[in-house]
Amino acid sequence: GVKGQLRYEARLKARLHGGSMHSEGTDLVIEKADTVELLFCAATNFINYKDVSGDAHRRVEEGLQAVAGRSYDTLRQAHAGSYEPLFGRVRLRLPAGRQAYAPTDERIRQDSAAPDPSLAALAWQFGRYILLSASRSGGQAANLQGLWNKDMNPMWDAKYTTNINLQMAYWPAEEANLQECVAPLIQLVKELTDEGGKVAREHYGCRGWVFHQNTDLWRVAAPMDGPTLGTFTVGGAWLCTHLWEHYLYTMDTAYLRMVYPVIKGSVEFFLDYLVPAPGSGLLVTNPSTSPENFPARPGNGPYFDEVTGSILPGTTICAGSAIDMEIITDLFNDYERAAAVLGTDKEFAAETAKAGARLLQPAIGSDGLLQEWPEGWGQTEKQHRHLSPLYGLYPGGVFSIERTPALAEACRKVLEQRGDLSSGWSRAWKAACWTRLHDGNRAWRIFSSYLKEQANPQLLAKCGAPMQIDGTMGMAAAIGEMLVQSQEGVIELLPALPDGWSSSGEVHGIAARGAFVLDFQWTEGRVKMVTVHSGQGGMCRIRVSGGAVREIPTVKGQTYIVHLK
């Protein structure tokens, strides 16, 4: 019953060489032309999430006037000038199978009979293409369908789902050397603090800002879709980890100073929101949820959900879910580091550290699995698509095979229990988790099944049947993690290289934390030399064969050739 306020105008203009054209109703009829150039311009009255006073007609007029005297070749060159400097930063070559030059759909069908590692290189570059096409400065962040939605009423409203999907769309951005493409996501998070601050005060009585599992163009922040989904209070905290990751890849302190209040605001909320758990006194979120997964706890039986109109197998509501506590651990740690870099808020940082030491810690159940819920409940669905308790393994930084080997092994058992098959984005998450466990062969196996069962022939991912870009981007991130990992303060080259890729390959322009960009090639799985481009200076640490760490002092803007034994 609310009248829509958005207006749009779209106009098509044809430029003919030879022939003629005329209109028939809504059809443009062109006859006997030698060539036709079609110029299409569209605009809305949207200015920002609080302002729809723009003039769509004037915007279209100005757009068409701007290209009126420019030839097709000139327009194409302008496009290439915007696209190629970003896309051309990175090159990846993997061993080519017999089908490497066949059409993509044929390559996918033949991959089992004749493995084609270069398909992974294509998928990685395709993910980069998707991101730099859908997420540019001045525009909106990439949503579930990116720019490729064809429906007036798209699946899941083509919105921003933030219990995994929006985050996954940006997983490969930094390592794939597309830092500029993160700008719309950063802007989205900044804008969420407006409504998010109101929700924190009015809904929870807390300081700071909070955001849940969904938002849209209008930056809504309140819980929605019923309590089973809406009690995911860490959506904003998860997005804040992306803000910190952008700093780690750029080491830009001016940027960090700009986003610092956003990160601090999320910390303020959770300092007020966390409560002591009965019995232990450790801090937990309450209410909490582990996204879309129903625990097999006593009394959690089926009920009719009035929001969805369907029978649900109980509720997901709990206290202190594993993903909540892992995300907050990362949030608090990221904030403390940001405050230290900027030399500010020492007392508040100390308060955050004190609360961080009281956070409920990850636990391993009697079955050896990392617990999704503190009580050690099982799940009603045997192999659930969400890997929420494994956030700390990937994309988070809570677990690692070196620093927390027992917890990493518990993560491995969860992956085994959930299996390799699921929707496109779920398989991408699984592949990325296996790379963090340094099992490139398992990750590649999942990638191969994903191509056949959960990807369209042009490599856009599926979520069951509907198209979504999150799986496309998640797989690109997993492929990058097979080649380079830098989350532990040390750059590891080929940490999860599949056996089928080991014969030879090379990558140029891949990024690592610390504002380093790397070029290297390998033969029989070994890298003999790496070129390091230092964006901001500082110590570059690279792990070499045998496990030793090579330290290279660098100067901003300089390039170093490092020989590895």
Side-chain angles (χ1 to χ4, degrees):
V2 179
K3 184 179 179 180
Q5 298 298 313
L6 275 182
R7 300 290 180 268
Y8 78 93
E9 180 172 313
R11 202 180 308 172
L12 179 70
K13 182 176 181 179
R15 299 195 301 204
L16 274 62
H17 298 272
S20 64
M21 66 177 171
H22 64 277
S23 60
E24 294 180 1
T26 57
D27 294 336
L28 181 65
V29 180
I30 299 172
E31 298 176 319
K32 299 181 180 179
D34 298 315
T35 63
V36 182
E37 297 168 7
L38 297 176
L39 302 176
F40 178 74
C41 188
T44 73
N45 61 339
F46 181 87
I47 294 178
N48 59 48
Y49 67 105
K50 297 187 287 188
D51 187 352
V52 290
S53 64
D55 187 334
H57 176 73
R58 179 180 57 80
R59 288 173 167 177
V60 171
E61 284 282 339
E62 291 175 351
L64 289 174
Q65 288 173 8
V67 300
R70 304 173 73 185
S71 68
Y72 168 80
D73 288 338
T74 302
L75 293 173
R76 191 178 190 283
Q77 289 170 6
H79 161 72
S82 170
Y83 173 86
E84 289 176 352
L86 287 170
F87 187 77
R89 285 177 180 171
V90 172
R91 302 194 313 274
L92 173 60
R93 180 183 62 81
L94 296 175
R98 295 196 306 269
Q99 298 292 322
Y101 296 99
T104 307
D105 56 346
E106 291 183 23
R107 293 177 70 180
I108 292 172
R109 284 197 300 270
Q110 296 295 325
D111 185 56
S112 298
D116 183 7
S118 62
L119 256 177
L122 178 65
W124 191 58
Q125 291 287 30
F126 183 72
R128 297 182 70 246
Y129 159 78
I130 291 292
L131 190 64
L132 71 86
S133 298
S135 183
R136 302 292 286 273
S137 183
Q140 297 298 319
N143 60 23
L144 284 173
Q145 282 79 33
L147 299 180
W148 296 271
N149 167 56
K150 61 180 177 60
D151 300 314
M152 287 296 290
N153 185 21
M155 293 295 298
W156 300 287
D157 305 322
K159 57 190 174 186
Y160 300 109
T161 303
T162 48
N163 60 21
I164 181 61
N165 310 90
L166 173 60
Q167 292 89 336
M168 183 179 288
Y170 285 87
W171 280 357
E174 308 286 358
E175 191 171 61
N177 208 341
L178 291 173
Q179 286 82 27
E180 295 90 337
C181 296
V182 185
L185 179 68
I186 295 169
Q187 186 64 30
L188 181 151
V189 181
K190 289 168 61 180
E191 291 174 353
L192 277 172
T193 63
D194 188 346
E195 289 297 316
K198 297 174 185 177
V199 173
R201 292 190 304 273
E202 298 171 13
H203 198 78
Y204 297 104
C206 295
R207 296 172 295 166
W209 68 279
V210 63
F211 167 70
H212 300 79
Q213 92 288 5
N214 264 310
T215 192
D216 56 19
L217 192 65
W218 312 108
R219 307 311 188 228
V220 296
M224 63 183 76
D225 298 332
T228 287
L229 296 174
T231 45
F232 188 67
T233 56
V234 294
W238 192 343
L239 290 172
C240 281
T241 68
H242 282 253
L243 303 184
W244 175 249
E245 283 291 295
H246 188 68
Y247 167 73
L248 291 181
Y249 276 89
T250 62
M251 305 302 288
D252 182 345
T253 53
Y255 155 79
L256 183 61
R257 193 169 288 109
M258 176 189 71
V259 299
Y260 173 82
V262 178
I263 301 174
K264 181 181 177 182
S266 185
V267 173
E268 286 177 321
F269 172 79
F270 284 103
L271 288 179
D272 290 350
Y273 182 71
L274 292 164
V275 294
S280 71
L282 296 174
L283 297 178
V284 296
T285 50
N286 184 38
S288 170
T289 183
S290 193
E292 303 180 33
N293 203 3
F294 297 86
R297 63 170 173 79
N300 197 23
Y303 76 101
F304 179 74
D305 180 43
E306 294 183 357
V307 176
T308 63
S310 58
I311 300 294
L312 294 180
T315 179
T316 66
I317 296 175
C318 62
S321 68
I323 187 172
D324 276 15
M325 306 316 300
E326 292 163 18
I327 288 175
I328 294 171
T329 296
D330 271 351
L331 172 71
F332 283 13
N333 288 338
D334 293 349
Y335 168 74
E336 292 168 41
R337 294 169 187 140
V341 169
L342 298 176
T344 189
D345 285 334
K346 292 184 180 179
E347 291 185 4
F348 186 78
E351 180 186 356
T352 304
K354 185 177 179 180
R358 294 182 59 202
L359 292 176
L360 180 70
Q361 296 301 301
I364 301 173
S366 58
D367 53 6
L369 300 173
L370 186 73
Q371 290 185 178
E372 188 160 0
W373 299 278
E375 295 82 356
W377 299 321
Q379 56 186 12
T380 58
E381 186 180 344
K382 184 178 180 182
Q383 295 179 323
H384 191 64
R385 61 195 176 279
H386 279 264
L387 300 175
S388 300
L390 302 193
Y391 161 88
L393 179 65
Y394 188 95
V398 181
F399 310 133
S400 77
I401 57 175
E402 291 191 351
R403 186 169 34 81
T404 60
L407 289 166
E409 179 60 25
C411 291
R412 180 189 299 274
K413 291 184 177 181
V414 172
L415 287 169
E416 294 284 6
Q417 183 250 359
R418 300 279 166 103
D420 293 347
L421 306 181
S422 193
S423 59
W425 61 262
S426 179
R427 297 191 201 207
W429 197 355
K430 291 172 181 178
C433 285
W434 281 113
T435 65
R436 285 283 171 94
L437 295 173
H438 292 186
D439 192 337
N441 289 329
R442 185 68 171 265
W444 189 25
R445 191 172 86 193
I446 294 172
F447 169 73
S448 297
S449 69
Y450 153 84
L451 286 181
K452 291 179 178 63
E453 299 167 14
Q454 280 296 303
N456 291 288
Q458 77 284 68
L459 300 179
L460 284 168
K462 301 176 184 177
C463 181
M467 183 276 287
Q468 285 184 192
I469 69 168
D470 45 14
T472 300
M473 309 310 297
M475 275 301 178
I479 292 164
E481 289 275 317
M482 295 181 199
L483 304 173
V484 172
Q485 292 182 24
S486 57
Q487 67 274 7
E488 293 290 304
V490 175
I491 298 172
E492 294 195 61
L493 307 181
L494 309 182
L497 189 72
D499 293 341
W501 301 9
S502 63
S503 60
S504 67
E506 59 184 306
V507 62
H508 297 266
I510 195 168
R513 293 171 181 83
F516 299 111
V517 176
L518 312 173
D519 307 330
F520 60 90
Q521 54 186 255
W522 65 90
T523 304
E524 301 305 325
R526 299 196 62 178
V527 178
K528 295 183 179 180
M529 182 184 76
V530 57
T531 301
V532 178
H533 310 275
S534 179
Q536 295 289 348
M539 187 68 72
C540 177
R541 297 176 176 85
I542 301 178
R543 192 179 305 281
V544 299
S545 18
V549 174
R550 179 85 173 271
E551 295 190 341
I552 305 100
T554 72
V555 176
K556 179 180 179 179
Q558 297 297 308
T559 298
Y560 302 83
I561 298 176
V562 183
H563 294 274
L564 306 176
K565 295 182 180 179

